[in-house]
């Protein structure tokens, strides 16, 4: 079967001469297969012929049956080989019964078919053909649904903007009527697909459970009322398509963005002016173009001139010609009333949108103004006030808020943990002190971290202070300083470094700061309070032991042995200790003993030997 596929491919790709070489190669391969089968058959026959020469027994009878089956099997192999040979030489002449069963995959068949064709199907078309719609669609996270809603919005806006224009202005003519109808029916098709495919799959919450909508909205169905059937009686009147505006095209994700809310409010205003311009042209055409000074005179671009009139009327700018007839007076009064209410609503809504968009910045300005007012009332020095202003400006520009914790306090604990992991875990996990600790302990610690911004030159901690916090550098640099003048830089710590852990863990018998740390430039630090850390480590004793062990090792590693003072002169040789003089009382007692007992000679000899040994010891020491 593999040779058959190769043959078909080669027959379409190469010439006749190359095909002859290919057929000759196939013949050689078939000959090799036949020789192998014949050799197997001969060996089997020789084996069973030797069995026949033996006396007949039950074993020989069994061998005879096996021999017959093998001969039948060899015959079937030969027939199969002949059929395969005929199939390779002339595939079209073989009947359906001689087709060799194929165990290849569907992909191989598709590749064979595409290889025979000159034009291949594009990949995106194949992807669309194999795409299957999901059983349910989340309207907040599904990108495909958001793009589809954008397409539905285009269809709805087509009907909303062009139905009044086609009804009032003479833009729909018999020459272009088919283009208008084609676009209308394409919009109707989008409506039908939305109701039939997307709306039944939308997810919504009911009683705390996420369920799937089974039917579309009532207004969506009402928007497809086929009033176009009246075209046969009244002609093609665009007003019969007004039910298309009942389509509920609302996506809550769009309403969360302040910029889109401003655009939507502005669009409402422009649409009111658009409808008023259409009504003004219809009223002018009803009274007669150019019949009075108030109506449109028919000069220039009709839509632009009527839109200009609508703007001046609704905004009540003035400078309009006075209406003369009853129809013109009523029309102008309605315009004035609608303009007052519409613009008051639009201005109020625009104020709310802009206020909501700038609420954070307003809160920041209010806090800074109140702080400056407080410092001025207590006559705080100007340099301190300037540093406070700098802190407010930098914090707002770098974070967009003054306190991150205030923003996250309204969220549930699980959501705050997820946000903290995404924002801070990549920094905390690289800290050497916490490597090897329980992963859940690190997660609990992330929820207790506070972000604080320090200005250039600010003291983060001072030597001798009671340590109540541990610091993790999120961004920026800090310097450990000391020395007689307090300005000698010992080391510079960068993002991911930790300091203050020795005092926090109370290693070494105290919780005092061992060095001064100042901010080198603007520094954003995470602060972990001692109370919060102890509450966390209660539930993780193994991690507590590991942290204390690491902190103790860091403390001993940081200590250096005190240098011993060495004499500048030549090395002094250690001398033997000087023999102390015998006390007078003891010497007098020895003399009396010598006189009374006659031991003078013996004691003298011992004394002489002792003196000689001490003298020789001193001489040897000087020689060395």
């Amino acid at each position: 079967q593999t040779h058959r596929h190769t043959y078909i491919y080669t027959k379409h790709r190469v010439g006749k001469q190359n095909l002859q070489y290919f057929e000759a190669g196939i013949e050689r391969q078939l000959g090799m297969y036949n020789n192998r089968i014949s050799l197997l058959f001969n060996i089997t026959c020789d084996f069973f012929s030797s069995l026949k020469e033996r006396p007949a027994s039950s074993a020989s009878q069994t061998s005879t049956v096996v021999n017959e089956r093998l001969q039948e099997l060899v015959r079937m192999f030969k027939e199969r080989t002949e059929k395969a040979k005929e199939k390779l030489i002339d595939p079209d002449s073989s009947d359906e019964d001689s087709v060799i069963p194929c165990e290849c995959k569907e992909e191989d068949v598709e590749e064979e078919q595409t290889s025979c064709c000159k034009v291949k199907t594009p990949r995106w078309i194949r992807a669309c053909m194999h795409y299957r719609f999901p059983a349910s669609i989340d309207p907040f996270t599904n990108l495909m649904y958001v793009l589809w809603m954008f397409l539905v919005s285009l269809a709805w806006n087509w009907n909303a903007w062009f139905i009044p224009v086609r009804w009032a202005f003479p833009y729909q003519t018999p020459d272009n009527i088919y283009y208008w109808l084609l676009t209308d029916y394409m919009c109707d098709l989008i409506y039908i697909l939305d109701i039939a495919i997307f709306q039944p799959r939308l997810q919504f919450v009911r009683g705390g459970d996420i369920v799937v909508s089974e039917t579309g909205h009532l207004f969506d169905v009402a928007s497809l009322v086929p009033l176009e059937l009246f075209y046969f009686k009244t002609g093609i009147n665009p007003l019969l398509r007004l039910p298309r505006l009942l389509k509920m095209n609302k996506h809550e994700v769009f309403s969360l963005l302040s910029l889109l809310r401003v655009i939507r409010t502005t669009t409402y205003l422009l649409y009111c002016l658009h409808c008023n311009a259409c009504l003004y042209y219809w009223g002018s055409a009803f009274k007669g173009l150019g019949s009075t000074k108030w109506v449109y005179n028919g000069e220039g671009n009709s839509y632009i001139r009527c839109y200009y009139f609508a703007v001046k009327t609704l905004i009540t700018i003035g400078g309009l010609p006075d209406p003369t007839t009853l129809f013109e007076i009523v029309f102008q009064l309605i315009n004035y009333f609608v303009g007052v209410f519409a613009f008051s609503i639009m201005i109020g809504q625009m104020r709310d949108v802009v206020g909501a968009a700038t609420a954070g910045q307003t809160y920041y300005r209010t806090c800074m103004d109140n702080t400056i007012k407080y410092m001025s009332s207590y006559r705080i020095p100007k340099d301190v006030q300037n540093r406070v202003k700098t802190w407010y400006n930098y914090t707002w520009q770098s974070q967009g808020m003054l306190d991150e914790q205030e923003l996250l306090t309204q969220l549930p604990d699980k959501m705050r943990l997820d946000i903290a992991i995404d924002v801070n875990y990549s920094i905390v996990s690289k800290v050497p002190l916490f490597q090897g600790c329980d992963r859940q302990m690190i997660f609990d610690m992330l929820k207790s971290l506070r972000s604080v911004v320090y200005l250039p030159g600010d003291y983060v901690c001072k030597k001798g202070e009671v340590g109540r916090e541990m610091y993790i550098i999120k961004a920026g640099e800090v310097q450990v300083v000391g020395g007689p003048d307090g300005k000698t830089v010992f080391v510079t710590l960068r993002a991911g470094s930790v300091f203050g852990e020795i005092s926090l863990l109370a290693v070494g018998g105290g919780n005092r700061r061992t060095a001064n740390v100042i901010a080198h430039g603007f520094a954003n630090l995470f602060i972990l309070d001692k109370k919060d850390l102890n509450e966390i480590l209660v539930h993780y004793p193994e991690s507590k032991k590991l942290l204390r062990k690491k902190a103790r090792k860091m403390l001993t590693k940081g200590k250096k042995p005190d240098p011993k003072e060495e004499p500048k002169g030549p090395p002094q040789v250690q001398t033997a200790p000087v023999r102390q003089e015998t006390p007078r009382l003891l010497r007098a007692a020895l003399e009396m003993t010598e006189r009374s007992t006659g031991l003078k000679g013996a004691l003298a000899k011992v004394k002489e030997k002792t003196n000689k040994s001490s003298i020789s010891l001193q001489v040897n020491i000087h020689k060395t």
Side-chain angles (χ1 to χ4, degrees), residues 20-21 24 143 150 156 168 170 194 282 383 391 409 437 439 501 566 572 623:
Q20 292 176 0
Y21 290 122
L143 180 60
F150 177 74
W156 186 87
D194 183 65
W282 172 81
D383 56 343
W391 181 88
T409 50
C437 296
R439 186 183 180 89
E501 70 280 1
E566 297 182 356
Q572 297 180 358
K623 288 182 179 180

Side-chain angles (χ1 to χ4, degrees), residues 256-393:
L256 299 178
L257 302 177
S258 301
L259 179 60
L260 294 179
R261 293 174 63 186
V262 172
I263 295 175
R264 184 181 61 182
T265 304
T266 306
T267 304
Y268 291 159
L269 174 61
L270 297 178
Y271 186 74
C272 291
L273 297 174
H274 170 77
C275 293
N276 189 269
C278 295
L279 290 174
Y280 175 67
Y281 185 87
W282 172 81
S284 300
F286 178 77
K287 296 293 294 183
L289 298 179
S291 58
T292 62
K293 294 182 179 181
W294 183 84
V295 299
Y296 171 60
N297 56 8
E299 297 178 358
N301 189 295
S302 58
Y303 181 78
I304 298 299
R305 295 293 183 91
C306 293
Y307 200 89
Y308 175 73
F309 175 84
V311 170
K312 294 178 67 176
T313 303
L314 291 181
I315 303 180
T316 62
I317 295 177
L320 296 173
D322 296 330
T324 55
T325 63
L326 179 63
F327 174 81
E328 296 173 356
I329 294 174
V330 173
F331 188 89
Q332 194 69 9
L333 288 175
I334 295 175
N335 275 345
Y336 286 147
F337 281 114
V338 171
V340 170
F341 285 104
F343 271 87
S344 61
I345 294 174
M346 293 299 173
I347 292 174
Q349 190 173 7
M350 188 70 71
R351 183 201 61 185
D352 295 339
V353 170
V354 175
T358 59
Q361 190 172 6
T362 304
Y363 173 75
Y364 149 71
R365 292 291 182 185
T366 304
C367 291
M368 188 170 67
D369 293 341
N370 293 335
T371 305
I372 294 174
K373 183 179 179 180
Y374 171 81
M375 292 187 297
S376 300
S377 62
Y378 283 91
R379 298 180 180 179
I380 304 296
K382 287 296 182 181
D383 56 343
V384 178
Q385 296 187 21
N386 293 333
R387 294 181 65 82
V388 171
K389 294 178 183 178
T390 304
W391 181 88
Y392 270 106
N393 293 328

Side-chain angles (χ1 to χ4, degrees), residues 153-165:
S153 299
L154 292 180
W156 186 87
N157 279 278
W158 168 269
N159 292 318
W161 289 82
F162 285 96
I163 286 177
V165 172

Side-chain angles (χ1 to χ4, degrees), residues 3-4 7-8 11 19 22-23 26-27 30 81-96 98-100:
H3 288 307
R4 176 176 177 268
Y7 176 84
I8 295 173
K11 187 175 181 181
L19 184 59
F22 177 73
E23 292 178 351
I26 295 297
E27 290 290 343
L30 290 175
T81 304
E82 293 296 333
K83 290 180 180 180
K85 181 178 179 181
E86 294 177 0
K87 190 75 174 179
L88 289 173
I89 295 174
D90 191 3
D92 298 331
S93 62
S94 60
D95 53 357
E96 297 179 356
S98 62
V99 175
I100 302 174

